Amino acid sequence: MSTKVKVCCIQSEAELAMAHAAGADAVGLLASMPSGRGAIPDEKIARLAALAPPPMETFLLTAETEAEHIIAHHRRTGTSSIQLVDTVARQTYSLLREALPGSGLGQAIPGKGRGIVRRRSGLA
């Protein structure tokens, strides 16, 4: 198993080029969120996703939680993968995989404190 690097919150063509030059395997493109900073409009996400040189993956970071909204958001932006940043119903994952068979799918695991990775990964 090899380590992959994803640079998140890319906001411009220059940042995309820097991530590529640094050897990033993927970039995260942050869509509108209920809170937080760094979101860019869907039109810009689509433009950056189209500019990413293969084989770089492009992740849409979305706060949508309903399968049909996630699917529509992904299709609007043209990213290669989706990163869900909020909790979704268990059946949502299979609905997404069925509707978007060629797309990658990831789930952010929110946490606070230094021990969260250990607890969530079973390393504690």
Side-chain angles (χ1 to χ4, degrees):
M1 176 153 90
S2 64
T3 301
K4 302 271 184 176
V5 174
K6 178 177 73 156
V7 178
C8 260
C9 301
I10 296 295
Q11 294 190 330
S12 68
E13 291 83 353
E15 290 178 357
L16 178 66
M18 283 192 303
H20 180 257
D25 300 291
V27 292
L29 305 164
L30 182 63
S32 179
M33 297 284 148
S35 63
R37 302 179 327 194
I40 58 176
D42 287 352
E43 299 77 26
K44 191 167 195 177
I45 291 173
R47 187 170 70 248
L48 292 171
L51 290 172
M56 180 180 273
E57 275 190 88
T58 55
F59 279 81
L60 166 65
L61 280 69
T62 182
E64 298 288 353
T65 57
E66 299 295 324
E68 63 272 9
H69 297 278
I70 297 166
I71 293 163
H73 198 187
H74 178 61
R75 288 182 175 154
R76 257 191 331 272
T77 58
T79 57
S80 60
S81 300
I82 302 165
Q83 181 176 331
L84 304 171
V85 300
D86 208 343
T87 303
V88 298
R90 184 174 293 275
Q91 71 270 20
T92 300
Y93 299 107
S94 54
L95 293 171
L96 294 173
R97 287 187 184 102
E98 184 179 311
L100 306 167
S103 299
L105 179 59
Q107 173 70 60
I109 301 173
K112 294 181 182 164
R114 301 182 104 191
I116 191 68
V117 172
R118 286 198 154 125
R119 285 194 305 274
R120 298 255 179 176
S121 67
L123 298 175

